Amino acid sequence: MPMIPDDPRQALAARMMADVFDDYVHVQMQRIVGDALRSKEERDPRGVTDAHALMDRSYAWLELRLQGKQWAACGRFTIADCAAAPALFYGDWVHPMAERFPVLAAYRQRLLTRPSVARVVDEARPYRRFFPLGAPDRD
């Protein structure tokens, strides 16, 4: 089954959600991680604070948007979920969703149990020590 639905409205919905995960979660997570890689003199505390705030607002929006849904768009696994997997995997490491966003956390967990996603996570385990903010002992 194609990652982008044939139906134009569904394709638009899938692409929109992929962009939400890319722009409002993944880019912000990268901003936080990128800052951790800089020397202390080059760090951007305001940028990191803004990134955390945007991630929080995005999590809240996604919490409502994902209620009652198994996948992010179109009632099936699409390009939106492909974008969500890394964004939420690492996003939760730098800006935990925990109890505040149970619907989003459950969606993240569903993504992690998808065989293709689980395989990527497992194969990357030896490299977690390179994550600049420290990788949690979970997932």
Side-chain angles (χ1 to χ4, degrees), residues 10-11 14-15 23-25 34 56 60 63 79 84 109 119 123 128 130 132 135 138:
Q10 288 189 345
R15 286 185 180 275
D23 296 340
Y24 295 94
V25 180
D56 210 51
E63 180 76 8
I79 191 172
Q109 197 55 45
R119 179 179 168 196
E123 289 179 1
R128 286 187 180 195
F130 297 116
R138 59 181 169 85

Side-chain angles (χ1 to χ4, degrees), residues 72-86:
C74 312
R76 66 178 182 85
F77 193 86
T78 67
I79 191 172
D81 306 295
C82 292

Side-chain angles (χ1 to χ4, degrees), residues 78-96:
T78 67
I79 191 172
D81 306 295
C82 292
L88 295 177
F89 179 76
Y90 291 107
D92 188 51
W93 286 12
V94 302
H95 190 83

Side-chain angles (χ1 to χ4, degrees), residues 34-86:
D35 190 72
L37 293 170
R38 293 185 185 130
S39 66
K40 286 190 181 209
E41 307 80 52
E42 295 178 316
R43 291 214 173 138
D44 179 14
R46 174 60 189 259
V48 168
T49 297
D50 290 348
H52 279 289
L54 185 50
M55 286 184 79
D56 210 51
R57 287 193 309 274
S58 300
Y59 284 0
W61 186 85
L62 288 162
E63 180 76 8
L64 295 174
R65 178 82 181 197
L66 295 172
Q67 284 185 359
K69 296 180 181 178
Q70 181 176 6
W71 303 112
C74 312
R76 66 178 182 85
F77 193 86
T78 67
I79 191 172
D81 306 295
C82 292

Side-chain angles (χ1 to χ4, degrees), residues 19-20 28 58 60 68 85 98 105 121:
D19 287 347
V20 167
Q28 305 314 310
S58 300
V121 169

Side-chain angles (χ1 to χ4, degrees), residues 85-86 88-90 93 108-109 111-128 136 138-139:
L88 295 177
F89 179 76
Y90 291 107
W93 286 12
R108 180 183 182 272
Q109 197 55 45
L111 288 168
L112 293 177
T113 62
R114 179 126 179 135
S116 55
V117 175
R119 179 179 168 196
V120 169
V121 169
D122 285 339
E123 289 179 1
R125 284 184 197 286
Y127 307 100
R128 286 187 180 195
R138 59 181 169 85
D139 300 322

